Amino acid sequence: MKILVTNDDGVSADGLWILVRELANIAEVVVVAPDREQSAAGTAVTLWEPLRIRKVQPVVHGVETYAVEGTPSDSVLLALGSLIKGKVDLVVSGINWGLNLGDDIYISGTVSAALQGYLHGCPALAVSAERDSEPGFQIAARLVTMLAGRFNASPPADNLFLNINVPNVPLARIGRIQVTRLASESHINTVTEGNDGKRNYYWLVRQRQDGSQGRKTDVWAVDHGHISITPLFTSLPTRTLSALLNNLCSGLLEELTGSAV
Ligand code: MN
């Protein structure tokens, strides 16, 4: 099984390598990621200048790794269009440092990179964990590795595109793995103004709202200690998708808990 791993936090981000360390146990992993932090780069692609790539030393031994002077979407386009020969079985973007929930997915570089995988016919996972969450990153890495194993054993009927978010909760206190829908909420919702002594300046501020989202949303699930899995674009009928996701998630939390070391 061949897996492309990318992200928007940059090729040396801890979250990416926590994930690769786990995935490399079960698959051939190739890392193609931006050479620097590109969070909130959204779906941007570089069309008006050439792109350059450097092969870099991997953090996990033996993993072919490239740093791209471009956006997360550029990285996936280059990986699938040129760098990786042969079929890619899965594209994983993350593990992002910070949750990607609700309307914020539309500016997320993490989700956009996975979107390029999906648009190119690969099953794609965007994966995020709550900031500074030591357990969250490990749980996310193991969960994705289990999902990859399930995909390998039985490839999904249609190309799946899932957005996965893991709260900052120890494994023993994770409530469940909940299939959710996106909340109608962005937490980049405030502009603060100031003056640096010469000019006015403005910050777009990230501020979570009051948590009044419905129980079926990703925001609610993560706020209540559950792992959220949100299917994004799909051509599948609702009922088929729902059966597929139930099947995919069946026994997953038990397997995850059982794998704890
Ligand atoms: Mn990021």
Side-chain angles (χ1 to χ4, degrees):
M1 182 184 205
K2 192 181 276 191
I3 301 178
L4 166 63
V5 175
T6 189
N7 73 355
D8 77 354
D9 294 335
V11 72
S12 38
D14 290 344
L16 181 142
W17 290 103
I18 290 170
L19 174 65
V20 170
R21 202 175 288 286
E22 292 283 332
L23 281 177
N25 290 325
I26 65 152
E28 181 192 343
V29 177
V30 181
V31 172
V32 185
D35 66 347
R36 68 200 77 180
E37 163 88 42
Q38 293 274 348
S39 292
T43 56
V45 291
T46 305
L47 297 181
W48 307 112
E49 53 187 287
L51 289 163
R52 299 186 196 282
I53 299 168
R54 267 180 308 120
K55 194 165 187 182
V56 295
Q57 199 65 32
V59 173
V60 174
H61 182 73
V63 173
E64 200 177 328
T65 303
Y66 300 91
V68 175
E69 293 179 23
T71 66
S73 295
D74 290 336
S75 302
V76 175
L77 288 166
L78 288 174
L80 299 180
S82 170
L83 290 170
I84 303 179
K85 310 300 175 205
K87 184 169 177 281
V88 171
D89 300 294
L90 178 65
V91 174
V92 185
S93 179
I95 304 166
N96 187 60
W97 189 67
L99 301 167
N100 275 304
L101 300 167
D103 292 335
D104 287 341
I105 69 148
Y106 298 109
I107 60 163
S108 161
T110 303
V111 174
S112 298
L115 171 67
Q116 286 301 332
Y118 169 77
L119 294 175
H120 286 78
C122 301
L125 306 177
V127 189
S128 306
E130 201 157 345
R131 290 187 175 196
D132 298 322
S133 157
E134 183 63 37
F137 282 85
Q138 294 297 341
I139 293 167
R142 244 183 254 153
L143 177 70
V144 168
T145 305
M146 282 172 194
L147 287 174
R150 289 183 178 207
F151 287 149
N152 196 32
S154 106
D158 197 79
N159 299 319
L160 269 191
F161 180 14
L162 304 179
N163 185 39
I164 301 173
N165 282 277
V166 178
N168 184 12
V169 172
L171 187 53
R173 295 205 354 250
I174 294 278
R176 59 176 174 269
I177 295 175
Q178 183 177 337
V179 176
T180 57
R181 61 175 171 78
L182 292 174
S184 304
E185 171 184 302
S186 169
H187 69 287
I188 303 180
N189 51 9
T190 310
V191 179
T192 61
E193 300 177 28
N195 186 290
D196 64 9
K198 289 186 175 171
R199 301 175 64 190
N200 291 336
Y201 63 81
Y202 303 86
W203 276 108
L204 303 180
V205 177
R206 302 164 73 85
Q207 215 163 48
R208 284 296 293 279
Q209 290 166 335
D210 62 359
S212 59
Q213 292 289 339
R215 296 172 66 92
K216 292 189 173 162
T217 65
D218 53 354
V219 168
W220 187 93
V222 167
D223 277 352
H224 290 79
H226 308 304
I227 292 173
S228 166
I229 298 188
T230 316
L232 298 180
F233 312 102
T234 179
S235 54
L236 290 174
T238 312
R239 193 175 291 182
T240 315
L241 178 66
S242 164
L244 198 157
L245 287 172
N246 284 340
N247 193 29
L248 189 66
C249 296
S250 154
L252 201 56
L253 185 58
E254 292 74 11
E255 194 182 335
L256 194 61
T257 311
S259 77
V261 283

Coordinates of all heavy atoms in Angstrom, one line a residue, residues 15 22 57 62 72 109 115 119 128 130 153-154 166 192 210 215 221 234 255:
G15 N 3.5 17.0 14.0 CA 2.3 16.2 13.8 C 2.5 15.3 12.6 O 2.0 14.2 12.6
E22 N 3.8 6.0 12.5 CA 2.9 4.9 12.7 C 2.5 4.3 11.3 O 2.5 3.1 11.1 CB 1.6 5.4 13.3 CG 1.6 5.8 14.7 CD 1.6 4.7 15.7 OE1 1.1 3.6 15.3 OE2 2.2 4.8 16.8
Q57 N 16.1 15.2 4.2 CA 16.4 14.1 5.1 C 15.1 13.8 5.9 O 14.5 14.7 6.5 CB 17.5 14.5 6.1 CG 18.2 13.4 6.8 CD 19.0 12.5 5.9 OE1 19.5 13.0 4.8 NE2 19.1 11.3 6.2
G62 N 14.2 6.1 6.1 CA 13.8 5.4 4.9 C 12.6 5.9 4.2 O 12.1 5.4 3.2
P72 N 0.1 23.8 0.3 CA -0.3 22.3 0.5 C -0.9 21.7 -0.8 O -0.6 20.6 -1.2 CB -1.4 22.4 1.6 CG -1.0 23.7 2.3 CD -0.5 24.7 1.3
G109 N -5.6 24.7 5.0 CA -4.7 24.1 4.0 C -4.6 22.6 4.2 O -4.4 21.9 3.2
L115 N -8.2 17.5 -0.2 CA -9.2 17.7 -1.3 C -8.5 17.4 -2.7 O -9.2 16.7 -3.5 CB -9.7 19.1 -1.3 CG -10.6 19.5 -2.5 CD1 -11.9 18.8 -2.6 CD2 -10.8 21.1 -2.5
L119 N -9.9 14.8 -5.4 CA -10.2 15.2 -6.8 C -9.4 14.4 -7.8 O -9.8 14.3 -9.0 CB -9.9 16.7 -7.0 CG -10.8 17.7 -6.2 CD1 -10.4 19.1 -6.4 CD2 -12.3 17.5 -6.6
S128 N -6.7 16.3 12.1 CA -6.3 17.4 13.0 C -6.5 17.0 14.4 O -7.4 16.3 14.8 CB -7.2 18.6 12.7 OG -7.2 19.0 11.3
E130 N -6.2 18.6 18.6 CA -6.3 19.9 19.3 C -4.9 20.3 19.7 O -4.0 19.5 20.0 CB -7.1 19.7 20.6 CG -7.6 20.9 21.2 CD -8.9 20.7 22.1 OE1 -9.5 19.6 22.0 OE2 -9.2 21.6 22.8
A153 N -7.4 -3.6 3.4 CA -8.0 -4.9 3.4 C -9.2 -4.9 2.5 O -9.5 -5.9 1.8 CB -8.5 -5.3 4.9
S154 N -10.0 -3.8 2.5 CA -11.1 -3.7 1.6 C -11.3 -2.3 1.2 O -11.8 -1.4 1.9 CB -12.4 -4.3 2.3 OG -13.3 -3.4 2.7
V166 N -9.5 15.2 16.5 CA -9.3 14.5 17.7 C -9.1 15.5 18.8 O -8.3 16.4 18.8 CB -8.1 13.6 17.6 CG1 -7.8 12.8 18.9 CG2 -8.2 12.5 16.5
T192 N -9.5 42.6 15.4 CA -9.1 43.5 16.5 C -8.2 44.6 15.8 O -7.4 44.3 15.0 CB -8.4 42.9 17.6 OG1 -7.2 42.3 17.2 CG2 -9.3 41.8 18.3
D210 N -19.9 30.1 21.4 CA -20.4 29.6 22.7 C -20.8 28.1 22.7 O -21.4 27.7 23.7 CB -21.7 30.5 23.0 CG -22.8 30.3 21.9 OD1 -22.5 29.5 21.0 OD2 -23.8 30.9 22.1
R215 N -26.0 18.5 18.2 CA -25.3 17.3 18.6 C -24.7 16.5 17.5 O -23.9 15.7 17.7 CB -26.3 16.4 19.4 CG -26.8 17.0 20.7 CD -27.9 16.1 21.3 NE -27.4 14.9 21.7 CZ -26.9 14.6 22.9 NH1 -26.9 15.6 23.9 NH2 -26.4 13.4 23.3
A221 N -19.3 17.4 18.8 CA -18.6 16.1 19.1 C -17.3 16.3 19.8 O -17.0 15.8 20.9 CB -18.4 15.3 17.9
T234 N -18.8 14.0 -1.7 CA -18.9 12.6 -2.1 C -20.0 12.5 -3.2 O -20.9 13.3 -3.3 CB -19.3 11.7 -0.9 OG1 -19.5 10.3 -1.4 CG2 -20.6 12.1 -0.3
E255 N -10.7 -1.2 19.1 CA -9.4 -1.6 18.5 C -8.4 -0.5 18.9 O -7.3 -0.9 19.3 CB -9.6 -1.6 17.0 CG -8.4 -2.3 16.3 CD -8.5 -2.3 14.7 OE1 -9.7 -2.2 14.2 OE2 -7.5 -2.4 14.1

